[in-house]
Amino acid sequence: MTTLDLADTATIAALTEALTAAGVDGIEISTPKGHLRLVVSTGNSAQAASVVKTSTAETAAATVIVKAPMAGRFCSSHPSALAETGHLPRAVTSADILGFIRIGSVLLPVSSGRPGVVKRRLAEPDALVGFGDPLFEIEPQS
């Protein structure tokens, strides 16, 4: 197996093209020799999310379930963070990072995809999650 050269512009361009083709909005790679974070701005979020309709007439807003964009280990905070952050409930913007999916040394950020209030974390830290597994429950803000 060869090592990625995180400073090589051709490697960065190839990674960016692969992310765009796969509909992934970002990736983070850490190696002993360096650290690279790519964020692909497409105008629409590639974040997997589904809307769950509520049955009570009093609740006008739907609950949004943020799902895992790919299989890996769920990290509720960045591994370099000293302590876990994100006490719930908490307000988020559409660009806020809620957690990460770790595949080896690669970290894929999981964004909220919409403004709202994160009500619950649905996956345990370091749990093995599959593509589309529910990670967070968000109550959208209008």
Side-chain angles (χ1 to χ4, degrees), residues 62-109:
T63 301
V64 175
I65 304 297
V66 177
K67 297 183 177 183
M70 69 183 330
R73 292 274 176 194
F74 172 66
C75 301
S76 57
S77 61
H78 194 281
S80 67
L82 297 176
E84 187 175 328
T85 57
H87 300 291
L88 302 178
R90 71 177 167 122
V92 293
T93 67
S94 60
D96 284 351
I97 303 297
L98 301 176
F100 298 88
I101 301 297
R102 180 174 44 84
I103 306 100
S105 61
V106 176
L107 288 177
L108 177 65

Side-chain angles (χ1 to χ4, degrees), residues 52-65:
V52 178
K53 301 288 182 189
T54 56
S55 59
T56 61
E58 297 171 2
T59 308
T63 301
V64 175
I65 304 297

Side-chain angles (χ1 to χ4, degrees), residues 29-53:
I29 304 171
S30 295
T31 68
K33 294 183 178 182
H35 182 86
L36 174 68
R37 180 183 298 178
L38 293 176
V39 178
V40 179
S41 176
T42 61
N44 19 344
S45 176
Q47 179 62 45
S50 66
V51 176
V52 178
K53 301 288 182 189

